[in-house]
Amino acid sequence: MASVAGKNGSVTFTNLTAGTKSWSLTYNGEVVDTTKYSDQPTRTFIGTVSNWSATVTGFFDTANSAAPLDSATLTLTVTSGETYAGTAIMTSMSVSSAVDGVTTCDWAFQGTGTLTITSA
C-alpha cells in the first residue's frame, strides 16, 4: 500500500470558511452478541448499525459563521482524491489563542445517516 501525503487534503462544510490544516474520521460498526449455549466455547456476533464522527482543526477566521448544531454535508478529502462525505451535525467548536501563536479552532461533527466513500 502506497503512502499518501496529507498536504493537499481538504474539508468542506457550509459556512466553515477557516483554513483547515487537519482532520480525523472515525467510522464504527456495532455488533450484538448472538451466542447460544451450543456455540460454546466461542462467541458469535452479527453486525447491526454503523456510525461516524469527525474532528477538524484549522485557523480562526472572522468570516466563519458555522456553529454547533448546524447541519450540512461534510466532505473530507484525502490528497489522493478519495472522499468521505455525509450529513453531519457540528457538535462543538473550540477556539484557542496564545500570545506567541496563531489562533486556531477545533470542530467536532457527528455524522447522521450514511457515510459515502468515493475512491479516487
Side-chain angles (χ1 to χ4, degrees):
M1 181 173 172
S3 297
V4 176
K7 64 182 180 178
N8 291 321
S10 65
V11 176
T12 59
F13 186 80
T14 302
N15 297 322
L16 182 62
T17 59
T20 55
K21 64 179 189 172
S22 66
W23 59 261
S24 176
L25 171 70
T26 303
Y27 191 20
N28 297 306
E30 296 180 23
V31 296
V32 293
D33 190 332
T34 58
T35 307
K36 302 178 295 298
Y37 289 126
S38 60
D39 292 331
Q40 292 183 21
T42 60
R43 290 191 175 278
T44 60
F45 298 86
I46 60 169
T48 58
V49 296
S50 64
N51 65 77
W52 61 278
S53 61
T55 57
V56 175
T57 297
F59 298 104
F60 181 80
D61 184 337
T62 57
N64 176 33
S65 62
L69 300 182
D70 283 357
S71 177
T73 298
L74 175 66
T75 303
L76 307 170
T77 305
V78 179
T79 299
S80 64
E82 183 169 65
T83 62
Y84 303 85
T87 300
I89 300 167
M90 183 187 292
T91 57
S92 69
M93 179 178 79
S94 175
V95 179
S96 299
S97 182
V99 69
D100 61 346
V102 176
T103 301
T104 59
C105 293
D106 293 303
W107 298 273
F109 300 89
Q110 177 60 58
T112 179
T114 302
L115 178 67
T116 301
I117 302 170
T118 305
S119 297

